[in-house]
C-alpha cells in the first residue's frame, strides 16, 4: 500500500485585535486625544499604542505581527481622530 501523502495545512493567522473588538477602543482613544492639547494628544496616542504592543508581547505574539497590528491601530486611531476633529459642524462629535 502506498502511504498517504500528508498535505501541509496553512498556518492559522492570529489577529490579536480584530477590528470589531477594537472599534470602541479606537473611538475612545481618538475622543480622548481630541480633548487634549496637540502635544498631549500625540503622547496619549503613542502611549496607548505602546500599551497594546506590550500586551501583544506578553501574549507571545510574533514581532512582525505586533508591528503590523501597531501600524494598523495607529492608522485607525489617527483616522478616527481626524474624523472627530474635522467632523461637520453640529455633528455628533
Amino acid at each position: 500500500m502506498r502511504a498517504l501523502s500528508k498535505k501541509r495545512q496553512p498556518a492559522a493567522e492570529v489577529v490579536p485585535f480584530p477590528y470589531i473588538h477594537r472599534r470602541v477602543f479606537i473611538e475612545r482613544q481618538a475622543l480622548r486625544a481630541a480633548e487634549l492639547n496637540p502635544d498631549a494628544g500625540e503622547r496619549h496616542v503613542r502611549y496607548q499604542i505602546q500599551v497594546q504592543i506590550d500586551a501583544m508581547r506578553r501574549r507571545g505574539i510574533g514581532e512582525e505581527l505586533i508591528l503590523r497590528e501597531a501600524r494598523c491601530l495607529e492608522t485607525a486611531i489617527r483616522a478616527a481622530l481626524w474624523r472627530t476633529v474635522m467632523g461637520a459642524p453640529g455633528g455628533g462629535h
Side-chain angles (χ1 to χ4, degrees):
M1 274 198 150
R2 201 163 73 181
L4 296 174
S5 63
K6 292 182 181 180
K7 289 186 178 182
R8 185 180 169 128
Q9 295 291 327
E13 181 178 0
V14 175
V15 179
F17 299 98
Y19 181 76
I20 195 70
H21 293 141
R22 67 182 180 163
R23 183 174 172 202
V24 172
F25 172 81
I26 290 166
E27 293 298 324
R28 187 174 56 236
Q29 301 316 316
L31 287 171
R32 178 66 181 129
E35 294 171 345
L36 301 169
N37 70 54
D39 289 336
E42 178 65 23
R43 284 192 307 274
H44 175 75
V45 169
R46 291 191 181 279
Y47 174 77
Q48 292 303 320
I49 293 166
Q50 188 60 54
V51 167
Q52 298 305 311
I53 289 170
D54 294 343
M56 287 186 277
R57 283 189 179 129
R58 281 192 303 275
R59 291 172 60 191
I61 294 170
E63 213 46 43
E64 185 177 313
L65 184 54
I66 289 172
L67 293 176
R68 185 186 80 191
E69 287 297 311
R71 281 190 305 270
C72 290
L73 181 61
E74 180 176 9
T75 299
I77 291 172
R78 292 189 186 283
L81 178 58
W82 182 257
R83 287 189 305 274
T84 298
V85 171
M86 299 305 289
H93 301 245

